[in-house]
Amino acid sequence: MGDLKKWVDQKWVDIGAPKKNGKYQPCGRKSASGSKRKYPKCVPLAKATRMTSSQKASAVSRKRAAGNPGGKPTNVATFTKKRKSISMGGLV
């Protein structure tokens, strides 16, 4: 039960809508139809501060590309998995 409490207590921010002073807006929006804000990509503030600008842009673009087809939020991984390189294994 400790992990759930920790998750709830974290400050969640929208990395897709940064403020001009470098801070972030709180996660979420009032309604999809009545809001000018685009589909939010929310992460804990601690993770947002550790991410590079290219990591944030990648996460936001993948979230928005996934869309929201069924009315329920779509989960998208914050970080992409590294691809394994294929070696030739001694073949010449």
Side-chain angles (χ1 to χ4, degrees), residues 48-71:
T49 56
R50 288 193 315 261
M51 294 173 73
T52 64
S53 59
S54 62
Q55 287 174 328
K56 292 174 196 172
S58 172
V60 170
S61 65
R62 284 183 287 110
K63 174 79 172 197
R64 292 190 179 148
N68 191 12

Side-chain angles (χ1 to χ4, degrees), residues 7 10-17 24-29 37-48 51 56 59-60 63-64 73-79:
W7 181 82
Q10 290 175 334
K11 181 178 180 183
W12 288 79
V13 295
D14 181 4
I15 60 174
Y24 299 98
Q25 295 183 20
C27 185
R29 57 186 176 177
R37 291 176 67 182
K38 295 185 178 183
Y39 198 42
K41 172 62 178 162
C42 300
V43 295
L45 180 61
K47 184 180 281 189
M51 294 173 73
K56 292 174 196 172
V60 170
K63 174 79 172 197
R64 292 190 179 148
T74 303
N75 290 331
V76 176
T78 302
F79 299 105

Side-chain angles (χ1 to χ4, degrees), residues 25-36:
Q25 295 183 20
C27 185
R29 57 186 176 177
K30 291 180 182 174
S31 71
S33 60
S35 177
K36 290 190 276 182

